[in-house]
Amino acid sequence: MQRADAAQRIAELREQIHHHDYRYYVEARPEVSDAEYDRLMRELRELEAAFPDLVTDDSPTQRVGGAPTDLFRPVEHRVAMLSLDNATSADDLREFEARLGRALPGTRFTYVCEPKIDGLGVALLYERGRFVRGATRGDGRVGEDITGNLRTIRSIPMVLRGALAAVPDLEVRGEVFMPRAEFARLNRQLEDAGEATFANPRNAAAGAVRQKDPAVTARRPLDIFLYHVSRADALGFASYRETLAALREAGLRTNPRAEPCATLDAVVAYCEALERARDELGYDADGVVVKADALEHQRRLGSTTHHPRWAIAFKFAARQATTVVQAIEVNVGKTGALTPVAKLEPVELAGVVIRNVSLHNEDEVRRKDVRVGDTVLIERAGDVIPYVVQVVAAKRPPGTEPFRFPAHCPACGGRALRPEGEAYWRCSNSACPAQLKERLRHFGSRGAMDIEHLGEGAVEQLVDKGLVHDVADLYTLGVDTVAGLERFAEKSAANLVAAIAASRARGLARLLNALGIRLVGERVAQLLAARFGSLERIAAASEAELAEAHGVGPEIARSVVAFFADATNRRLVDRLRAAGVVTQAPEAPRVPQVLAGRTLVLTGTLPTLSREAARELIERHGGRVAASVSRKTDYVVVGEAPGSKAEDARRLGVTMLDEAGLLALVRQA
Ligand code: IVH
């Protein structure tokens, strides 16, 4: 690149970054994802490295953040609150160690790793063990005094214990965050109250911390992990490990997952393991902070103006990204539900290229006001299907129109109706081929009748050629008919027919799922099958009888009754039975319902039972497995390497069991 071009690009990047810093640090309302911001910053750093004479004092690479707002009293940090250098791969981590080695030749480094909390950095000041002031990070040099708000956080002690209580002037730093469960609860409350919800726990925590009325903050359940003592070496500690132990002893909360790592290989293993476990943490972590353990090493390595040289942040694959909505299409589901889907400019997210994202239903599109041409923030967390967090309002181009739901089914042209009180528009044509194709696909899918070779192409042709009018017709297909389809030979046709025949014996639970009854998926189907034993008994059951089964609410019961009240469905079931499809569940011995009405939570790895097996055991005995611990939890079953749920249990005084304890409990009858 020519110098003149570089100068221009550098100016552009600085302007963009300044703007995003303002949105992020001052207003706490970011409009780009962290990944996109990091990309801008990386490009700027690279250009400045290539043209060092273009570096100026006011470049975002030369300072820490943006200006603080004047809502709260400004506080000058005694020691600047720096940022962290980033690593995104094991190679980057090795390069970090190589850098340490070059700076301090001949030194053997050991490390401490801990989750990088996606929250808000704060500095707490204790004078002779008393909490006197708390401040936000601000631009790193000057933050805001939020003492009153921080006081409302229960895990911040007002008075310290132990050795640190005697220190005249102690500054500790940490990260304030909102646990995911609390975040979900808060958003539900806001939604019920008709107020705007938060896009993620970080924004919710930022909003809470910057409330002008501490009483409001107090109602927003925040938490904190502490991870730094300014001038710890002056206090006589030799290592970060000792510092953490002293913090804990003082009554300050530190991350229970902080772990010493003797080698860089151990560091890499820690980073990989935590990335896999990130969904079980109970709070958002966007990476791992790796710190050289010896304070002597930290002191000698020192800091740049931007970050300490003795630490690095290993960043997990980004889960949020921004991209542009190119079109909004409407898909037809197996029950005729019309689902709006945003077609996106392809974007990589957590290792997968995302091209489509469901917008669920009309109300959802309206609530988020997603329009063609909009830039949207999308997120993909763990196994969760990607979704639109929000529209980036500032990037909306002129002339966009609110999305309008089509009046006709896009597949068959049938009239689209939205029944009173329902969220979905539906295609009113029961012969709609798009619906039938979806039903067939679902019928043959892995969790349903598991029909191998019943692929996309076969389904399309069977419907379009009029060979199949409902799922029972599958069992009438002969090899000759199938062999007549495109891309089918004698052999592959025989395979498909054999696979269809084999599916007859899948049993009641899979058949129930395969029928595509509204609200009856894999799990509900298993519950119903276990409880009633045959399709005939389920078809004959009343709403009240169905709703009695645990995990089957009144809404599901109503849907099951409605399905079997429909003459077409009854005929379909008769024809499936006539075709030899098994409608019974294999006999399961009835076990005493000793856990009836009890709620259990599982955490960590159990010695012999898998997560699924433990769940199955609990449910077979009438218990329920919940995802998070609350006061209503009866037992928490704790295994190896438990998550924060074990801590929650301790905090709430919930009884904890190990696997042996659980087994003893179900055998006690
Ligand atoms: S150590 C000088 N440890 O990440 C101490 N920081 O991107 C350097 N952060 O400003 C920070 N979790 O607000 C450290 N376990 C952790 C952290 C952590 C989150 C934040 C912190 C820092 C930012 C840098």
Side-chain angles (χ1 to χ4, degrees), residues 25 80-86 113-122 137 173-175 225-228 240 255 286-291 303 307-308 310-311 313 315:
Y25 289 112
M81 287 180 83
L82 298 181
S83 197
L84 286 169
D85 199 9
N86 288 338
C113 292
E114 63 184 315
K116 182 174 187 299
I117 311 298
D118 197 7
L120 291 110
V122 296
R137 174 169 181 272
R173 292 180 182 172
E175 204 80 359
F225 284 127
L226 283 314
Y227 48 67
H228 189 72
Y240 181 54
N255 198 304
D286 55 352
V288 170
V289 184
V290 181
K291 303 173 187 182
S303 302
H307 60 261
W310 43 266
K315 297 287 279 269

Side-chain angles (χ1 to χ4, degrees), residues 86-346:
N86 288 338
T88 53
S89 65
D91 280 350
D92 288 354
L93 289 172
R94 289 188 215 286
E95 171 53 30
F96 166 67
E97 177 160 74
R99 259 197 317 274
L100 297 189
R102 285 195 295 274
L104 303 180
T107 312
R108 210 179 72 80
F109 295 95
T110 62
Y111 307 93
V112 172
C113 292
E114 63 184 315
K116 182 174 187 299
I117 311 298
D118 197 7
L120 291 110
V122 296
L124 311 180
L125 199 62
Y126 286 89
E127 282 175 6
R128 298 201 181 285
R130 294 193 176 268
F131 176 63
V132 292
R133 197 187 73 195
T136 62
R137 174 169 181 272
D139 67 359
R141 204 176 49 77
V142 181
E144 297 170 321
D145 188 329
I146 52 163
T147 311
N149 288 343
L150 291 179
R151 264 192 233 280
T152 68
I153 301 179
R154 298 299 174 96
S155 45
I156 296 180
M158 294 297 105
V159 181
L160 298 183
R161 298 170 304 169
L164 288 182
V167 178
D169 220 353
L170 178 74
E171 197 209 48
V172 291
R173 292 180 182 172
E175 204 80 359
V176 169
F177 63 95
M178 186 175 289
R180 284 195 194 130
E182 308 288 4
F183 165 72
R185 196 169 312 150
L186 172 64
N187 262 1
R188 269 198 305 276
Q189 279 170 11
L190 290 172
E191 206 167 321
D192 288 347
E195 287 179 48
T197 54
F198 290 101
N200 53 46
R202 189 187 182 284
N203 287 5
V209 151
R210 302 178 83 269
Q211 284 292 332
K212 283 196 227 140
D213 178 4
V216 177
T217 311
R219 274 183 261 118
R220 306 266 163 101
L222 296 172
D223 208 337
I224 190 167
F225 284 127
L226 283 314
Y227 48 67
H228 189 72
V229 175
S230 319
R231 304 195 189 116
D233 46 351
L235 297 172
F237 301 129
S239 65
Y240 181 54
R241 257 194 287 174
E242 280 175 38
T243 314
L244 283 176
L247 287 173
R248 276 194 291 275
E249 196 190 294
L252 292 157
R253 188 161 145 81
T254 64
N255 198 304
R257 294 208 180 226
E259 257 179 44
C261 292
T263 63
L264 200 84
D265 284 341
V267 167
V268 171
Y270 180 98
C271 291
E272 288 170 356
L274 196 76
E275 180 151 19
R276 279 195 301 273
R278 68 190 288 197
D279 290 318
E280 290 145 37
L281 294 176
Y283 50 82
D284 281 0
D286 55 352
V288 170
V289 184
V290 181
K291 303 173 187 182
D293 188 29
L295 298 188
E296 166 69 9
H297 296 164
Q298 293 191 1
R299 192 185 57 73
R300 285 169 57 204
L301 287 161
S303 302
T304 71
T305 53
H306 173 262
H307 60 261
R309 289 197 189 84
W310 43 266
I312 195 159
F314 172 81
K315 297 287 279 269
F316 295 153
R319 299 177 135 190
Q320 290 198 338
T322 47
T323 186
V324 175
V325 176
Q326 294 173 325
I328 298 180
E329 292 181 357
V330 172
N331 287 354
V332 188
K334 61 183 187 286
T335 57
L338 302 178
T339 307
V341 175
K343 299 276 158 186
L344 305 173
E345 198 169 282

